[in-house]
Amino acid sequence: MSRRLTLHEWKYLPVSETREDGSLSRQEADRLQTVAQAAERELRLGSGESDRVLQNMRTKVRAQQVVGILAAPGIAVEILPKIDDHSDEDVRHVLVEMLAQAFNLPIARGRLTELSRQHRHLLEIIIALFCDLVFRVVHRGLPRAYLSHHDDLPNLRGTLNIPRQFSTLAASPQKLACYFDELSSDILPNRILKTAVSRLRVQARGLKNQRQLAELDFMMEVIRPFARGEHIPFSSLILDRTNERLRDPLEIARFLIERSYQTTSSGEGRGFALLFEMNRLFEDFVGRAACRIARRHGALVHLQGPRNHVLRREDGRPLFATKPDIYWSHPDADILVDTKWKRLDASDSEGRMGVGQGDIYQMMAYAHVYPAPRMVLLYPHHSGLEKPPGTQTRFTIAQTVKTIEIATIDVSRPDRVPDQFAALMRSDCDRQENDHVHTTA
């Protein structure tokens, strides 16, 4: 039976040979590190030989800025984001909502709240939500389609394959080379669902999830799952009126399949990872929120663009493309936003709030190549800040009228993030009169 532990980003789990409560044995730590390094390569965080996912030290392991599930034989660690003054249950709930919005997953908030209260681990919540959707589809009946078959049969079925009959089967007149169509449920959408069900059966630890997955596996027994390592042609997936009801479970199935990594762990079984780099998740989450409310506010949103260039060669060709996280294009004024999953420091005596010099230089480069008069560095809000979520401080760029704002957004209530972002994007001339405005050198 695998042990399950919870860890927060940038926090530690002790390593102890006695394997006390809340600690890892040295063997468990090494197994987790092997899986973490494989996931690091898949997430493109490094070469897979560093510690960008999990830092493995002599007496402890430390989570980095990556959250999710890391599992090795006998041990599974859930890594949660750091959100102040919230229980693990609440943080887990927030993380699933962020994933749902960032990846456009069809997750009902009411059902999510119910599952979060059961103190399940992250993966167990997602599995339960997936099972809900697949059961709904299976009970209504899985879609079927006609598939072409070639088979050698004792009686003619469909059309005779004449070239094969008089060549390959010339010496076997008792067989007929048949070519026929057969109505089947063993089609691509169903095979993707069956693949997710089969793989999740190995990962599920909750008894209810194990039972539901076993039932689904039995109900879909005539459908072939894709083998591990076999290419799954997601790009060939076409949904129409006959299979539209599969859209929601397929979204979660694809999410789970594409983000799940397997690797041999020291020859003692297989490891599993479902991980998310928090900088990217925060960016995608806020970007989706911006897209949802843009039209309502008369704006257009560009994510990861437009890609203007900082320099031009002598022949006029552009060099060094830029790609701001969010570009809010509005008739009143454009606003450029870059997200940073870092903690601001309100105690900074110089008034920089702990903002990195490189981040400021990046915003100044944006200011040079984009017409937006407002540049916003957007951070997660936390209880150590004196002001409420929104603009914390503002700088003007020397010899210009353009501003760089340091702002925060409270992710502890994901449903309110779109409205928070809209408030930040609105003209804040009234607030500017009351705020102390700094000037960058």
Side-chain angles (χ1 to χ4, degrees), residues 1-4 24 27-36 54 69-77 203 205 261-266 268-273:
M1 183 72 178
S2 293
R3 294 195 305 140
R4 291 209 161 194
L24 301 169
Q27 292 77 11
E28 289 173 335
D30 291 343
R31 291 172 192 160
L32 288 170
Q33 180 68 4
T34 300
V35 180
L54 195 70
I69 297 290
L70 197 61
I75 184 68
V77 174
Q203 308 304 333
R205 293 296 177 267
Y261 316 120
Q262 293 277 348
T263 179
T264 300
S265 181
S266 305
E268 300 181 25
R270 302 195 68 83
F272 170 83

Side-chain angles (χ1 to χ4, degrees), residues 54-350:
L54 195 70
Q55 191 175 13
N56 188 5
M57 295 173 276
R58 187 174 63 85
T59 60
K60 56 190 175 183
V61 296
R62 185 191 190 201
Q64 302 297 87
Q65 206 168 30
V66 176
V67 300
I69 297 290
L70 197 61
I75 184 68
V77 174
E78 174 191 46
I79 307 173
L80 297 178
K82 183 174 176 56
I83 300 177
D84 287 346
D85 304 323
H86 286 76
S87 66
D88 286 353
E89 174 189 334
D90 291 336
V91 173
R92 192 175 295 118
H93 186 126
V94 168
L95 177 57
V96 177
E97 282 211 53
M98 290 180 69
L99 292 171
Q101 294 186 33
F103 292 94
N104 197 30
L105 300 179
I107 294 178
R109 295 193 68 247
R111 179 62 170 147
L112 174 57
T113 301
E114 176 189 344
L115 291 172
S116 296
R117 288 173 179 165
Q118 297 175 14
H119 300 281
R120 295 173 183 246
H121 275 236
L122 171 66
L123 182 61
E124 297 298 326
I125 293 174
I126 297 177
I127 290 175
L129 294 166
F130 174 71
C131 288
D132 286 350
L133 293 172
V134 180
F135 265 116
R136 199 176 306 161
V137 167
V138 172
H139 286 154
R140 289 185 58 189
L142 289 168
R144 297 188 296 170
Y146 282 100
L147 300 179
S148 297
H149 293 271
H150 297 266
D151 204 356
D152 300 332
L153 303 174
N155 299 302
L156 180 63
R157 182 178 180 184
T159 304
L160 184 67
N161 185 339
I162 294 177
R164 176 175 174 80
Q165 185 67 49
F166 292 101
S167 57
T168 306
L169 298 183
S172 304
Q174 74 279 13
K175 294 183 179 179
L176 298 175
C178 301
Y179 175 79
F180 57 94
D181 291 337
E182 184 175 46
L183 193 62
S184 173
S185 59
D186 192 31
I187 57 178
L188 178 59
N190 298 339
R191 293 190 66 195
I192 292 173
L193 293 181
K194 178 62 177 287
T195 301
V197 167
S198 299
R199 296 185 185 181
L200 290 174
R201 285 194 68 181
V202 180
Q203 308 304 333
R205 293 296 177 267
L207 293 179
K208 184 176 180 180
N209 280 344
Q210 289 178 342
R211 184 175 68 252
Q212 289 188 319
L213 288 167
E215 290 177 17
L216 287 171
D217 205 16
F218 176 75
M219 295 164 73
M220 304 171 75
E221 63 177 344
V222 298
I223 300 170
R224 295 168 299 136
F226 287 94
R228 190 164 299 280
E230 184 180 358
H231 173 67
I232 301 178
F234 288 108
S235 59
S236 301
L237 187 60
I238 299 176
L239 297 180
D240 54 31
R241 61 180 180 82
T242 66
N243 58 15
E244 175 64 25
R245 63 184 183 277
L246 270 63
R247 181 180 299 275
D248 287 354
L250 283 170
E251 289 283 356
I252 298 184
R254 181 170 185 172
F255 167 80
L256 289 166
I257 291 171
E258 291 189 331
R259 298 198 64 88
S260 299
Y261 316 120
Q262 293 277 348
T263 179
T264 300
S265 181
S266 305
E268 300 181 25
R270 302 195 68 83
F272 170 83
L274 181 69
L275 298 173
F276 310 90
E277 204 270 324
M278 276 306 301
N279 267 316
R280 182 61 186 272
L281 177 58
F282 183 53
E283 174 191 329
D284 291 344
F285 168 65
V286 176
R288 291 278 187 177
C291 291
R292 282 199 299 276
I293 51 95
R295 181 175 298 180
R296 190 165 73 236
H297 293 272
L300 293 175
V301 168
H302 302 275
L303 303 181
Q304 287 289 301
R307 300 194 176 192
N308 293 354
H309 291 75
V310 177
L311 302 178
R312 289 193 177 276
R313 297 183 179 90
E314 291 182 355
D315 60 5
R317 288 184 296 165
L319 190 64
F320 295 118
T322 62
K323 49 178 183 178
D325 295 341
I326 303 169
Y327 196 87
W328 178 273
S329 183
H330 191 275
D332 291 343
D334 292 351
I335 305 171
L336 186 149
V337 181
D338 245 26
T339 59
K340 306 291 179 183
W341 184 259
K342 301 176 184 176
R343 286 175 64 86
L344 290 175
D345 182 6
S347 65
D348 186 343
S349 60
E350 296 185 353

